[in-house]
């Protein structure tokens, strides 16, 4: 129960006890001391209850306290010549109702009422029997009214306590919800930043592979035209025209890459065939190939195959001075196996630039495993195993 309300009720109880003390003393003005002494005993026990209110200790002596209270009030009713002693009964009824759960207070109130009748009856003369019956009815109304009011007061206090607890829980939930929303907002912002960065990287990879391959083949043809310039201007012009065509094709592929990022459908199988033929035509390299139709694979895998081949041919020509390639793409049980071998210079230690790192990222996204084997004068060989989804 709210501590403030409980303090108010205790103050009211002390006011009622004080009034009962003085009224009983006035009713027995001729011999007040024994009434005052018993009344002070009742008040002292009530005060003792407030001192030892700690539940663990108090619960063990509660019924002792109640019994002593009832006995003292009953004795007071026997020695007092008035009826104001019932105020003491009202106080312990209030105490019992607030202390105990359930409806046992009804039986306790009836007990107090009966004891008050016994005390009053002992002080009634034969000529006052009718007055006793009126008093009994009057006391019944008072006891019933007081018990009902006190119980309703307890119910209101308990309901208020439950509402306060519910309010506190809602406040806690509200704080937790705000924190959750804030965490979600931060997570969303981080995820949004990640998506933007991921799209940037994806776009950068596409442009790098497309432009890199185009410029490499164009550069090869320009170098050839430079050599032919001294021998045959006509052949040099053909090579320059071919290089120009490659640049135009590169521009077209950049646009195709942008469409691919926009989820446009691309026939990667035919793109791979065209890539091989154009590399043979414009880069003066030999490429033998044996590939299965992989058109039924998902877009990520198909794009990975195309870009890995493109990057492998580009790097082989640019860095390895390769003149011949062997490309295979074959289904083998639960795998689609990619292999690209060349006769380039090779290297003892692999240095991963942007292109190879982009290839690794694509292979990982496509649920594949990348393996590169190279050595001096042993070429640069790329192997990828794509796990097929059953």
């Amino acid at each position: 129960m709210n501590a403030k309300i409980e303090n108010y009720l205790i103050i009211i109880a002390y006011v009622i006890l004080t009034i009962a003390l003085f009224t009983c003393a006035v009713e027995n003005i001729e011999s007040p001391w024994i009434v005052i002494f018993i009344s002070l005993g009742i008040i002292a026990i009530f005060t003792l209850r407030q001192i030892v209110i700690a539940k663990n200790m108090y619960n063990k002596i509660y019924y002792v306290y109640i019994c002593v209270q009832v006995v003292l009030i009953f004795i007071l009713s026997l020695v007092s010549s008035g009826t104001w002693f019932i105020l003491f009964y009202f106080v312990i009824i209030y105490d019992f109702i607030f202390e105990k759960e359930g409806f046992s207070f009804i039986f306790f109130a009836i007990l107090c009422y009966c004891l008050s009748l016994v005390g009053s009856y002992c002080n009634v003369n034969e000529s006052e029997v009718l007055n006793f019956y009126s008093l009994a009815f009057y006391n019944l109304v008072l006891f019933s009214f007081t018990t009902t009011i006190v119980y309703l007061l307890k119910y209101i206090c308990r309901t208020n306590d439950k509402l306060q607890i519910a309010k506190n829980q809602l406040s806690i939930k509200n704080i937790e919800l705000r924190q959750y929303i804030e965490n979600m907002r931060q997570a969303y912002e981080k995820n949004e930043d990640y998506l933007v960065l991921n799209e940037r990287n994806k776009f950068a990879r596409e442009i790098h592979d497309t432009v890199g391959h185009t410029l490499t083949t164009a550069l090869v043809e320009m170098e050839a035209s430079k050599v032919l310039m001294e021998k045959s201007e006509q052949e040099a012009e053909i090579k320059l025209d071919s290089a120009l065509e490659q640049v135009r094709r590169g521009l077209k592929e950049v646009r195709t890459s942008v469409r691919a990022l926009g989820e446009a459908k691309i026939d990667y199988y035919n793109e791979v065939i065209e890539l091989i033929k154009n590399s043979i035509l414009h880069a003066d390299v030999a490429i033998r190939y044996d590939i299965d139709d992989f058109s039924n694979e998902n877009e990520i895998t198909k794009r990975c195959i195309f870009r890995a081949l493109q990057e492998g041919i580009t790097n082989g020509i640019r860095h390895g001075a390769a003149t011949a390639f062997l490309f295979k793409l074959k289904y083998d049980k639960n795998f689609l196996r990619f292999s690209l071998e060349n006769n380039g210079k090779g290297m003892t230690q692999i240095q991963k630039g942007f292109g190879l790192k982009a290839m690794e990222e694509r292979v990982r996204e496509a649920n594949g495993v990348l393996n590169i084997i190279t050595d001096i004068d042993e070429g640069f060989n790329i192997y990828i195993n794509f796990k097929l989804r059953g």
Side-chain angles (χ1 to χ4, degrees):
M1 186 171 60
N2 187 287
K4 192 173 182 180
I5 296 176
E6 187 174 7
N7 290 335
Y8 284 143
L9 292 175
I10 292 174
I11 291 172
I12 293 172
Y14 271 111
V15 170
I16 295 173
L17 290 171
T18 304
I19 292 173
L21 170 64
F22 281 105
T23 53
C24 287
V26 170
E27 285 178 332
N28 300 275
I29 193 65
E30 295 179 358
S31 180
W33 298 112
I34 187 169
V35 172
I36 293 174
F37 178 76
I38 296 173
S39 299
L40 288 174
I42 296 169
I43 295 173
I45 294 175
F46 184 82
T47 303
L48 182 63
R49 174 195 178 279
Q50 308 310 315
I51 296 174
V52 293
I53 197 69
K55 293 297 182 180
N56 291 339
M57 176 181 178
Y58 181 69
N59 284 339
K60 296 177 181 177
I61 62 171
Y62 180 76
Y63 288 105
V64 174
Y65 149 76
I66 284 292
C67 289
V68 172
Q69 284 266 73
V70 170
V71 169
L72 287 176
I73 297 172
F74 181 69
I75 293 172
L76 179 62
S77 68
L78 294 177
V79 300
S80 177
S81 58
T83 59
W84 283 94
F85 63 86
I86 64 172
L87 291 177
F88 288 112
Y89 278 123
F90 293 158
V91 172
I92 65 168
I93 287 173
Y94 140 77
D95 191 36
F96 191 92
I97 289 175
F98 271 85
E99 186 64 29
K100 298 300 176 182
E101 299 298 331
F103 294 94
S104 58
F105 69 90
I106 296 176
F107 302 101
F108 182 74
I110 293 173
L111 173 64
C112 291
Y113 170 70
C114 293
L115 290 175
S116 71
L117 290 183
V118 172
S120 299
Y121 184 78
C122 292
N123 293 319
V124 172
N125 297 325
E126 291 182 3
S127 60
E128 298 176 338
V129 172
L130 291 177
N131 291 335
F132 171 75
Y133 289 127
S134 299
L135 179 64
F137 177 76
Y138 176 72
N139 284 353
L140 177 62
V141 173
L142 281 178
F143 271 88
S144 300
F145 179 77
T146 302
T147 302
T148 303
I149 292 299
V150 172
Y151 178 74
L152 289 176
L153 183 61
K154 174 189 174 180
Y155 178 79
I156 292 171
C157 290
R158 292 290 188 271
T159 303
N160 184 64
D161 289 343
K162 291 178 181 178
L163 289 174
Q164 188 62 41
I165 292 172
K167 181 181 177 181
N168 294 337
Q169 290 176 343
L170 285 174
S171 298
I172 294 172
K173 292 293 184 184
N174 188 41
I175 293 172
E176 291 176 350
L177 181 59
R178 287 180 181 176
Q179 185 62 43
Y180 176 76
I181 292 173
E182 179 63 21
N183 292 339
M184 287 291 292
R185 185 187 65 79
Q186 293 176 1
Y188 174 78
E189 289 178 353
K190 289 180 180 178
N191 187 55
E192 191 176 43
D193 292 341
Y194 170 78
L195 290 175
V196 171
L197 182 61
N198 188 50
E199 287 302 311
R200 275 188 200 159
N201 290 337
K202 188 185 293 186
F203 187 74
R205 294 197 304 259
E206 295 292 321
I207 299 303
H208 169 273
D209 291 346
T210 300
V211 175
H213 179 78
T214 301
L215 293 181
T216 297
T217 54
L219 184 61
V220 169
E221 292 193 312
M222 288 179 182
E223 290 287 346
S225 67
K226 184 179 178 182
V227 173
L228 292 171
M229 192 75 72
E230 300 174 356
K231 298 179 180 180
S232 172
E233 290 185 2
Q234 186 177 2
E235 292 184 10
E237 187 178 350
I238 292 173
K239 282 293 183 183
L240 283 175
D241 288 340
S242 181
L244 185 60
E245 180 61 29
Q246 274 298 93
V247 172
R248 289 196 184 99
R249 177 175 172 77
L251 181 58
K252 179 183 176 183
E253 288 186 1
V254 169
R255 291 170 179 165
T256 301
S257 297
V258 173
R259 289 201 309 272
L261 291 176
E263 301 302 327
K265 296 294 183 180
I266 298 174
D267 186 355
Y268 281 105
Y269 176 76
N270 287 323
E271 287 289 324
V272 164
I273 301 296
E274 191 173 351
L275 172 65
I276 293 172
K277 291 180 178 179
N278 276 292
S279 298
I280 294 171
L281 177 63
H282 298 289
D284 289 333
V285 294
I287 302 177
R288 294 174 58 192
Y289 60 94
D290 182 12
I291 62 176
D292 291 339
D293 188 353
F294 58 96
S295 301
N296 292 328
E297 300 302 322
N298 59 67
E299 291 298 309
I300 295 175
T301 301
K302 290 188 289 188
R303 186 183 300 124
C304 178
I305 291 169
F306 176 76
R307 292 305 182 189
L309 176 62
Q310 189 178 55
E311 178 67 14
I313 294 174
T314 302
N315 279 351
I317 296 171
R318 182 191 300 168
H319 303 297
T323 58
F325 293 85
L326 175 61
F327 175 51
K328 292 183 179 181
L329 184 67
K330 306 296 288 182
Y331 283 98
D332 180 17
K333 296 182 180 179
N334 294 326
F335 292 92
L336 177 59
R337 302 191 188 276
F338 173 109
S339 69
L340 179 64
E341 301 171 346
N342 66 45
N343 64 344
K345 294 183 294 186
M347 58 183 67
T348 55
Q349 186 175 1
I350 300 173
Q351 296 179 350
K352 295 179 181 179
F354 185 85
L356 285 180
K357 289 180 180 177
M359 187 186 298
E360 285 183 335
E361 290 177 7
R362 283 200 182 91
V363 170
R364 185 165 53 250
E365 290 172 0
N367 194 30
V369 178
L370 173 65
N371 188 24
I372 297 174
I373 299 176
T374 182
D375 203 350
I376 297 295
D377 296 328
E378 295 293 332
F380 194 90
N381 308 312
I382 300 171
Y383 304 97
I384 306 172
N385 290 327
F386 296 99
K387 176 71 173 179
L388 300 179
R389 297 174 183 174

